[in-house]
Amino acid sequence: MKTFPMFLQLAGRRVVIMGGGEQAAQKARLILKTDAEISVWAPVLDPELSGLAAEGRITHHKGPVTPDSFAESALSFIATGCPGLDMALHALAKEAGALVNVVDQPQLCDAITPSIVDRDPVVVAIGTEGTAPVLARQIKTKVEGILEPRLGDLAALAGRMRGAAAARLNPRARRDLWRWVFNGRPRQTFTNGAERQAAKLIKSAIETGEFGATKGGSVSLVGAGPGAKDLLTMRGVQRLQEADVIYYDRLLDAEVLELARRDAERIYVGKAPGCHSWPQEKITQTLVTAARNGRRVVRLKCGDPGVFGRCAEEVDALKANNIPFEIVPGVTAACAAAASLGESLTERGKIDTLVLTTGHRQDGYALPAPISNIRPGTCVALYMAVGAAPRIVAHLKANHPDAAFHVDVVAKAQRSGQVRLTCALQDLPETLVSNGIVGEAMLLIRWKRQQSTADVLRLSKMSACQRA
């Protein structure tokens, strides 16, 4: 980011607008939504600004303009419509040390006006650092459709009750309360127009502490997908935002953790192929202990928790200790790898069997059983199999010398630094070595079924019928 998003406190503070035409009026409309004191400097005002001055909503100054004109302003807009005059006024404003926005001249701006979705006191600001205002407006239109018109009134109601909630509920219970308010029945009730009933629900929940919240701790085993922030599921993001503590592996896109609640504790457990900073037994026991202490725990795993993620060991321990848990699926590496190649893992008439397997067992690298039993029409997606590649190649060459295998290698799928390689089967070990692929990669081996003449004719007839 070149600009840092921040909301300015303007209540009772002075905002200066230089200009008396339409550009200045636009800025005045914006700032009139706040409780700022607005000073407009211009020899002549257009009818809209003149009306606002007559109503006492702005203060009109005819000039002359000096650095003192900007004194003690929280924000100053320069909007005369004349580029040369704007630059001269900008120099005076900077001499006074003012925070300045110059309309249509981003290179002169200390502050850039965002597109705003206003559900006061809920405000969404959308900025593109001055590069694409049209895009910002498009995003604003979409957000306007997402947020119900009276959401701000519900937020204001919650704000008035925060003191009572703080007096009666502990921090964990307060987080659960507001989660229930904005995700559950109170929001739905309020949106449907029953504001008083929604207020009674919230007040009763604060008084009694009863609002369907989970009393003890829980664990969510969340699949982070291949590691890219934008491939995490919406449910995964929600669990990160609810978590008290997050245990994570080698999250190769550090931005994934930025989706978590800011005050959530983050603990790196350092798992990597062949190098575990934390043994699995320690991780499992830590999850149990944290949940027993009433914490909402997220165990963040690369890929999908249930695909070579040692999920079963953690689930067994949670069940044995009666800890509530859930598994949140993620995009597994095989799917991410195929997508990065622009290919499908299956193909009608050619690949009708998909096998997910690993070349690294508990006792080390080995030839996976599905490779031994491979048949035409099969795609084998191999996890953690780089070290087993020579054995795999030797077996396939010896047992299927005439087969036409298609081999792809994808390392760091869907992330920066992604590597995609295609090679002949016999060249696989050398390809891995020469490209420095040592561990973190998917091997995709396809043995496509050859279509018979009868199959080709049948599919052609089906296509003709569909076109008809």
Side-chain angles (χ1 to χ4, degrees):
M1 291 188 299
K2 294 180 181 178
T3 59
F4 184 77
M6 180 176 288
F7 290 93
L8 291 176
Q9 179 60 260
L10 293 183
R13 301 180 69 187
R14 185 167 176 259
V15 172
V16 171
I17 300 175
M18 292 287 169
E22 173 58 24
Q23 286 187 347
Q26 290 173 4
K27 299 305 179 183
R29 290 177 212 135
L30 187 64
I31 301 303
L32 282 168
K33 295 177 181 289
T34 74
D35 293 328
E37 297 175 359
I38 304 173
S39 296
V40 178
W41 293 71
V44 179
L45 300 180
D46 74 0
E48 179 181 355
L49 291 172
S50 294
L52 292 172
E55 295 170 5
R57 301 180 67 188
I58 65 173
T59 301
H60 179 207
H61 302 270
K62 294 185 178 181
V65 178
T66 68
D68 288 342
S69 304
F70 300 93
E72 299 183 358
S73 62
L75 180 63
S76 294
F77 292 99
I78 298 177
T80 68
C82 173
L85 180 56
D86 283 352
M87 290 186 68
L89 292 171
H90 172 265
L92 293 175
K94 296 313 295 178
E95 184 178 341
L99 185 69
V100 184
N101 173 277
V102 183
V103 174
D104 293 336
Q105 297 196 56
Q107 74 280 6
L108 298 180
C109 291
D110 301 311
I112 297 175
T113 306
S115 290
I116 293 174
V117 178
D118 185 7
R119 300 288 189 274
D120 185 31
V122 177
V123 179
V124 180
I126 303 152
T128 61
E129 297 185 343
T131 62
V134 171
L135 176 60
R137 288 194 290 272
Q138 289 176 352
I139 297 171
K140 166 184 164 68
T141 300
K142 290 185 178 181
V143 177
E144 289 279 9
I146 293 171
L147 303 182
E148 53 266 40
R150 296 204 59 201
L151 180 61
D153 294 331
L154 176 59
L157 172 63
R160 293 192 293 272
M161 296 186 181
R162 290 184 68 85
R168 298 189 65 89
L169 303 173
N170 62 43
R172 162 68 185 273
R174 291 200 298 273
R175 287 197 299 271
D176 287 341
L177 168 70
W178 301 125
R179 176 188 174 199
W180 171 74
V181 166
F182 293 111
N183 287 342
R185 188 179 170 193
R187 182 170 180 173
Q188 182 179 5
T189 302
F190 197 97
T191 301
N192 290 338
E195 294 90 344
R196 291 184 180 180
Q197 184 180 351
K200 287 181 179 179
L201 287 171
I202 300 171
K203 290 177 181 178
S204 176
I206 293 172
E207 289 293 324
T208 64
E210 297 294 332
F211 42 86
T214 303
K215 300 301 181 182
S218 62
V219 176
S220 295
L221 306 173
V222 177
K229 177 181 178 181
D230 57 351
L231 286 179
L232 196 67
T233 66
M234 293 180 66
R235 185 179 299 179
V237 173
Q238 185 177 30
R239 295 300 177 264
L240 283 174
Q241 293 174 348
E242 296 167 353
D244 299 310
V245 57
I246 301 163
Y247 297 92
Y248 66 99
D249 292 345
R250 299 168 298 122
L251 282 183
L252 298 158
D253 184 346
E255 291 185 350
V256 170
L257 287 174
E258 293 183 7
L259 298 170
R261 208 178 79 232
R262 189 175 303 173
D263 57 344
E265 185 179 1
R266 297 158 171 81
I267 300 175
Y268 174 60
V269 296
K271 293 186 67 178
C275 179
H276 295 177
S277 297
W278 281 38
Q280 181 62 45
E281 295 76 13
K282 180 179 178 182
I283 295 173
T284 302
Q285 186 54 50
T286 301
L287 298 179
V288 171
T289 301
R292 278 179 172 171
N293 290 334
R295 308 188 80 184
R296 188 174 287 116
V297 180
V298 163
R299 173 73 174 98
L300 197 57
K301 294 171 170 284
C302 290
D304 183 276
V307 181
F308 304 112
R310 304 190 73 172
C311 173
E313 298 169 49
E314 295 168 356
V315 166
D316 288 345
L318 296 170
K319 287 180 177 178
N321 288 275
N322 295 316
I323 303 294
F325 74 92
E326 68 172 335
I327 300 173
V328 179
V331 177
T332 191
C335 297
S340 71
L341 294 167
E343 296 184 7
S344 174
L345 289 169
T346 61
E347 186 176 351
R348 185 180 181 190
K350 294 183 179 182
I351 298 287
D352 54 21
T353 301
L354 172 63
V355 177
L356 306 183
T357 188
T358 177
H360 190 275
R361 300 187 312 203
Q362 190 170 7
D363 55 354
Y365 290 108
L367 180 70
I371 290 291
S372 299
N373 302 313
I374 194 170
R375 294 288 185 271
T378 301
C379 172
V380 180
L382 290 144
Y383 296 68
M384 300 172 285
V386 170
R391 301 182 197 182
I392 293 169
V393 171
H395 175 85
L396 292 177
K397 287 176 64 179
N399 290 274
H400 307 284
D402 298 324
F405 291 105
H406 182 90
V407 180
D408 289 300
V409 179
V410 182
K412 298 185 178 180
Q414 303 287 335
R415 301 190 300 273
S416 60
Q418 175 179 267
V419 177
R420 296 175 296 184
L421 305 168
T422 299
C423 63
L425 177 66
Q426 64 270 20
D427 297 331
L428 177 58
E430 174 58 28
T431 299
L432 294 172
V433 172
S434 62
N435 287 276
I437 307 298
V438 295
E440 187 188 316
M442 284 296 308
L443 309 183
L444 301 177
I445 300 178
R446 298 175 176 88
W447 186 0
K448 294 187 179 182
R449 178 183 290 111
Q450 297 300 315
Q451 291 180 322
S452 66
T453 303
D455 288 335
V456 173
L457 290 173
R458 178 174 53 82
L459 292 173
S460 297
K461 289 180 180 179
M462 290 176 63
S463 298
C465 289
Q466 289 172 353
R467 288 194 298 271

